[in-house]
Amino acid sequence: MTADTHAPRDGAAPHWSTLPDDQLLDVRLCDLDLSIQGSELEPRIALINGELESRGLIRPAYWISDEWFSPDGVPGVAVPFYLLHPRLVKLELAQMLEVEGGDEAICLKILRHEAGHAVDNAYQLRRRRARREIFGLPSTRYPEYYTPKPYSKSFVQHLDHWYAQSHPDEDFAETFAVWLDPQSQWRERYRGWPVLKKLDYVERLMAELAGVAPAVTDRQQVDPLRRIYTTLRDHYEAKRRHYGVDRKPSYDADLKKLFSDEPVYTKNPSAAAFLHRTRKDIRRRVAEWTGEYQYTIDQVLEGMIDRCQALRLRLTVSKEQAKLDFAILLTVQTMNYLQSGRHKVAL
């Protein structure tokens, strides 16, 4: 495994690992002094490398950066710094409400997806006419936002947000990831779907490439962590802006259908206080239903809580019923946000 191995030589805990969040946020990313070796990410990468090697394909280079990505023309994968130390996992959770790739199963999905980009780059597959005809033109401009079609059967369903629909290159990487996963049972899972044509193409293409030397062997590292001089504070401020809600829809009419400001309910619990107490559970539930980033859901949720407080709304049903009804409403509002075309391309 080719990896970024920059780390403290004496094996001591990094100086920043015991800092409180407010002080840790002032540390520059280049000063984190991290290594893939010895981290929880190392065996996950080894597993994906094994899957690739069993198919006769190249192993990507891996290095540490600020996010997941595979650069154009480079047969390698950048992994996010926060997965390499428990203290940084904790900070990521505090700043973004979840840790993308922190769960092993999700991490392996992302690694297979990025491996798809790396293989695409290594063998210059974008130049092949059949690849362009089946997946679309790689030269298609990446949209800032995209509107997914959740029920389309022309794309695999792998990463959240129906990510295969965002761009032809992502469609290829997602299809490759499903094909690579030995547990996916893709022939049965996608039987009768138009996307099976894409999977069959990847199967034939990878059989053709097995054991073939890659056309590109460049191991350059794009934006390695040691060259990112941004502080963690600035990094997270920019990340929250990216995932934040950039419009303020009116929730009043829908909220008044669930809660009430009528005098008869004056002694009932405050809707705002109730939602604040159950915020984490509701957010997690809606994230599972929609596949949306929890930070985005939390922004919608915060706006709704603010309106409940401003309108002085109170519960009219049991707390369990109110939680379920509100979770459904929040899901609808989140899906409206997704379907409005304001769904951001992230990976």
Side-chain angles (χ1 to χ4, degrees):
M1 175 176 65
T2 302
D4 190 327
T5 58
H6 184 57
R9 291 187 177 88
D10 58 6
H15 72 279
W16 45 259
S17 62
T18 58
L19 295 177
D21 282 6
D22 194 53
Q23 294 181 36
L24 178 56
L25 287 169
D26 289 326
V27 175
R28 298 185 304 174
L29 273 71
C30 62
D31 294 329
L32 288 175
D33 220 17
L34 297 167
S35 175
I36 293 174
Q37 187 174 7
S39 72
E40 290 187 355
L41 197 56
E42 185 180 26
R44 299 173 186 177
I45 289 175
L47 178 63
I48 300 304
N49 282 344
E51 292 175 2
L52 292 166
E53 289 177 339
S54 70
R55 308 294 184 96
L57 301 174
I58 61 107
R59 296 192 308 172
Y62 299 90
W63 67 93
I64 307 167
S65 190
D66 56 348
E67 291 291 348
W68 292 102
F69 64 92
S70 181
D72 282 350
V74 178
V77 177
V79 300
F81 66 91
Y82 56 79
L83 290 180
L84 303 178
H85 195 281
R87 181 65 183 93
L88 298 175
V89 169
K90 183 179 179 181
L91 182 67
E92 177 79 9
L93 182 62
Q95 294 292 312
M96 298 305 301
L97 307 178
E98 63 183 297
V99 180
E100 188 173 35
D103 174 82
E104 182 177 9
I106 300 301
C107 184
L108 292 174
K109 283 188 174 185
I110 297 173
L111 284 169
R112 291 188 183 102
H113 171 96
E114 299 298 352
H117 285 306
V119 168
D120 196 1
N121 291 331
Y123 297 100
Q124 297 182 323
L125 301 181
R126 299 175 195 178
R127 298 184 178 184
R128 298 190 175 223
R129 177 180 297 177
R131 196 276 205 195
R132 296 196 301 270
E133 290 175 347
I134 292 172
F135 290 97
L137 295 176
S139 59
T140 301
R141 185 175 181 178
Y142 266 84
E144 183 179 2
Y145 305 97
Y146 69 99
T147 303
K149 299 177 181 177
Y151 303 107
S152 175
K153 294 186 177 182
S154 295
F155 302 88
V156 296
Q157 296 175 355
H158 181 64
L159 294 178
D160 291 340
H161 315 318
W162 309 279
Y163 196 56
Q165 301 181 36
S166 65
H167 187 272
D169 285 350
E170 306 306 339
D171 189 10
F172 176 84
E174 285 286 81
T175 305
F176 177 92
V178 169
W179 168 82
L180 181 64
D181 183 359
Q183 306 299 321
S184 69
Q185 299 181 321
W186 56 267
R187 288 198 180 277
E188 183 63 28
R189 168 70 176 82
Y190 295 102
R191 186 183 302 275
W193 288 34
V195 75
L196 198 60
K197 177 182 178 181
K198 296 177 181 177
L199 286 159
D200 283 333
Y201 170 74
V202 170
E203 169 98 340
R204 294 192 305 271
L205 180 57
M206 295 306 131
E208 176 186 331
L209 295 175
V212 175
V216 179
T217 57
D218 183 3
R219 294 285 172 163
Q220 74 173 99
Q221 297 181 1
V222 177
D223 292 335
L225 199 70
R226 63 181 179 274
R227 296 178 187 168
I228 300 179
Y229 304 106
T230 304
T231 65
L232 284 162
R233 189 183 306 278
D234 290 341
H235 165 76
Y236 281 116
E237 286 178 357
K239 191 170 183 178
R240 285 195 297 271
R241 283 196 300 271
H242 179 78
Y243 286 105
V245 175
D246 52 5
R247 58 194 178 90
K248 296 184 179 297
S250 174
Y251 308 118
D252 293 8
D254 287 330
L255 289 172
K256 287 181 178 179
K257 293 177 183 177
L258 291 186
F259 310 116
S260 178
D261 59 356
E262 294 294 327
V264 67
Y265 298 111
T266 301
K267 295 183 179 181
N268 286 13
S270 159
F274 169 74
L275 294 176
H276 182 75
R277 287 194 302 272
T278 58
R279 183 174 188 158
K280 184 176 181 180
D281 183 54
I282 291 174
R283 185 181 67 223
R284 177 191 55 77
R285 184 181 301 188
V286 174
E288 291 175 353
W289 291 348
T290 64
E292 181 57 293
Y293 213 90
Q294 285 201 44
Y295 182 76
T296 303
I297 295 171
D298 197 65
Q299 297 297 291
V300 178
L301 178 53
E302 182 176 17
M304 298 176 83
I305 291 175
D306 287 346
R307 292 310 300 160
C308 282
Q309 185 170 9
L311 297 169
R312 299 183 179 181
L313 298 179
R314 294 186 174 273
L315 271 63
T316 62
V317 296
S318 70
K319 292 181 179 180
E320 282 304 311
Q321 186 63 50
K323 183 189 290 188
L324 176 60
D325 291 345
F326 183 79
I328 293 172
L329 173 59
L330 181 57
T331 299
V332 171
Q333 290 288 352
T334 300
M335 295 306 293
N336 286 341
Y337 176 68
L338 297 180
Q339 296 299 323
S340 69
R342 308 302 289 173
H343 193 61
K344 295 188 176 183
V345 175
L347 290 180

